[in-house]
């Protein structure tokens, strides 16, 4: 069976990073403030920029680098042919890192690009829904979970109170994407049977849209009231002042699964792990490698729940 090397390596890299962020002891190392370094990142060409190998990044923890890497992946791979599974794995990595940072009160620095990347991804999915062979709602649900983590606990891991205010401003400014998502959800709920997985997932997405709509409706009402009183359009800093004044009256839902992530279930990727095992075994048999300890042609592979083990 022919396997695309790019897809194979991409899936392997994302799964490896997902498993690393699934381990709290590894996360301790990734966020160790005494273990900072400069890790260059490749940024592929897009319409507004040429390809560049960014070697001038500031020193930061490996956890911050991992977030920057996944954010870049989300930003630069908004293509119909790109596997939705890769986006889901990327968001799983983001969710695990942010949950860890929230629980440890670790401040993140580059939050705006990540937040906007998630909104751009959701807008892209909704605009091209008919072109995907599988439902987009599981991925939209993953995005909404992370957005709700930002909205309800962002004050514990965003760099400052001003950043938290700006987060709400961005939410209100880009509220159309939530309206689009809600419309798509309503169409799916009306179309599907109540016992179908698609109906259940669409209903979960609709339920988790309560916080974004609550914020948008509250702030927009204050904006309209202010504009009506003054007769002038408001500037961004004036809107942010209204947002600050709205915090005391806002009531947000605390959803399950925001700060705790279910452990990764490797059963979903057993065929992929078996493919790795078969590939390694075939390569070993071709090379007829014998090192005196393991006779690889006579070895076989056991697929465990935690990893692949080469045994005699």
């Amino acid at each position: 069976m022919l396997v695309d090397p790019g897809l194979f390596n991409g899936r392997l890299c994302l799964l490896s990073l997902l498993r690393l962020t699934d381990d709290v002891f590894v996360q301790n190392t990734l966020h160790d403030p005494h273990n900072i370094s400069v890790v260059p990142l490749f940024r592929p060409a897009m319409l507004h920029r040429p390809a560049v190998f960014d070697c001038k990044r500031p020193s930061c923890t490996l956890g911050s680098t991992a977030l920057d890497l996944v954010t870049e992946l989300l930003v630069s791979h908004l293509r119909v042919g790109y596997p939705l599974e890769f986006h889901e794995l990327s968001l799983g990595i983001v969710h695990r890192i942010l949950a860890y940072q929230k629980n440890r009160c670790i401040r993140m620095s580059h939050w705006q690009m990540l937040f906007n990347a998630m909104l751009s991804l959701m807008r892209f999915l909704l605009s091209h829904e008919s072109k995907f062979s599988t439902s987009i709602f599981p991925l939209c649900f993953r995005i909404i979970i992370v957005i709700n983590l930002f909205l309800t606990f962002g004050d514990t891991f965003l760099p400052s109170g001003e950043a938290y205010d700006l987060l709400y401003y961005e939410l209100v400014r880009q509220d159309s994407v939530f309206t689009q998502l809600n419309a798509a959800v309503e169409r799916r709920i009306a179309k599907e049977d109540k016992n179908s997985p698609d109906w259940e997932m669409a209903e979960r997405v609709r339920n988790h849209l309560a916080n974004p709509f609550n914020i948008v409706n509250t702030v927009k009402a204050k904006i309209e009231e202010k504009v009506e009183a003054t007769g002038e359009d408001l500037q961004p800093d004036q809107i942010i002042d209204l947002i600050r004044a709205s915090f005391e009256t806002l009531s947000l839902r605390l959803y399950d699964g925001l700060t705790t992530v279910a452990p990764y279930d490797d059963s979903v990727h057993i065929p992929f792990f078996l493919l790795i095992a078969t590939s390694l075994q075939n390569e070993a048999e071709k090379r007829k490698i014998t090192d005196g300890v393991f006779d690889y042609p006579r070895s076989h592979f056991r697929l465990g729940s935690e990893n692949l083990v080469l045994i005699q």
Side-chain angles (χ1 to χ4, degrees):
M1 179 176 63
L2 295 177
V3 179
D4 186 310
L7 294 180
F8 182 91
N9 293 332
R11 183 176 289 108
L12 182 59
C13 289
L14 286 171
L15 282 172
S16 299
L17 191 52
L18 184 71
R19 290 307 304 268
L20 289 172
T21 55
D22 211 26
D23 189 317
V24 66
F25 297 105
V26 175
Q27 289 258 38
N28 290 340
T29 301
L30 292 178
H31 292 89
D32 184 354
H34 301 100
N35 184 22
I36 62 173
S37 57
V38 177
V39 180
L41 288 182
F42 175 71
R43 304 186 188 277
M46 297 176 67
L47 291 177
H48 63 285
R49 72 181 189 193
V52 61
F53 196 68
D54 187 1
C55 299
K56 298 181 179 179
R57 290 164 36 80
S59 298
C60 60
T61 63
L62 293 176
S64 294
T65 298
L67 268 183
D68 290 345
L69 173 63
V70 176
T71 299
E72 183 62 39
L73 200 62
L74 292 172
V75 168
S76 59
H77 288 77
L78 296 180
R79 301 194 298 267
V80 173
Y82 187 73
L84 293 184
E85 175 202 359
F86 286 14
H87 285 310
E88 189 159 356
L89 290 172
S90 297
L91 289 167
I93 294 165
V94 169
H95 191 185
R96 284 164 171 80
I97 292 177
L98 292 183
Y100 178 90
Q101 291 183 342
K102 181 269 171 188
N103 293 330
R104 299 296 193 280
C105 293
I106 298 173
R107 302 290 175 176
M108 64 182 301
S109 51
H110 307 130
W111 67 272
Q112 279 183 287
M113 189 173 181
L114 172 59
F115 189 76
N116 288 324
M118 291 189 295
L119 295 182
S120 296
L121 174 57
M122 190 153 61
R123 191 175 289 109
F124 170 79
L125 294 173
L126 293 168
S127 300
H128 299 85
E129 181 182 2
S130 61
K131 299 179 182 178
F132 294 107
S133 58
T134 57
S135 173
I136 65 170
F137 291 108
L139 187 52
C140 288
F141 180 68
R142 176 79 73 174
I143 297 172
I144 288 296
I145 283 286
V146 179
I147 287 175
N148 272 306
L149 176 58
F150 267 99
L151 297 178
T152 51
F153 297 108
D155 57 329
T156 63
F157 59 82
L158 289 177
S160 64
E162 289 74 16
Y164 195 51
D165 301 335
L166 188 56
L167 169 72
Y168 277 56
Y169 174 80
E170 284 296 317
L171 186 83
V172 174
R173 187 178 69 85
Q174 302 191 55
D175 68 304
S176 61
V177 68
F178 300 104
T179 304
Q180 284 182 271
L181 177 58
N182 189 63
V185 164
E186 295 293 348
R187 289 194 300 269
R188 182 56 60 92
I189 288 175
K191 176 182 176 183
E192 297 291 336
D193 183 85
K194 286 188 177 183
N195 296 320
S196 71
D198 278 353
W199 186 93
E200 181 182 351
M201 182 55 68
E203 180 64 26
R204 293 175 71 185
V205 172
R206 181 169 66 175
N207 180 53
H208 281 70
L209 281 172
N211 284 341
F213 279 131
N214 187 12
I215 294 168
V216 169
N217 293 337
T218 299
V219 174
K220 280 199 166 184
K222 289 184 177 294
I223 291 175
E224 291 173 3
E225 183 181 335
K226 187 75 172 179
V227 168
E228 187 176 345
T230 61
E232 298 178 354
D233 291 336
L234 301 185
Q235 299 301 314
D237 58 336
Q238 294 175 300
I239 296 176
I240 290 175
D241 287 339
L242 290 178
I243 290 172
R244 291 193 185 104
S246 302
F247 283 143
E248 292 184 0
T249 58
L250 276 174
S251 178
L252 302 181
R253 293 187 187 181
L254 294 178
Y255 296 101
D256 293 334
L258 295 186
T259 59
T260 57
V261 188
Y264 164 69
D265 180 11
D266 60 5
S267 64
V268 178
H269 291 100
I270 281 180
F272 177 66
F273 296 141
L274 287 173
L275 179 63
I276 296 176
T278 303
S279 176
L280 291 173
Q281 189 173 32
N282 290 341
E283 185 67 21
E285 289 175 352
K286 282 194 298 183
R287 297 188 182 188
K288 300 295 182 182
I289 301 173
T290 303
D291 64 1
V293 179
F294 291 103
D295 186 5
Y296 288 92
R298 293 198 302 271
S299 299
H300 63 281
F301 292 89
R302 173 170 61 82
L303 182 63
S305 61
E306 293 298 323
N307 47 28
L308 272 170
V309 182
L310 179 64
I311 60 176
Q312 184 69 7

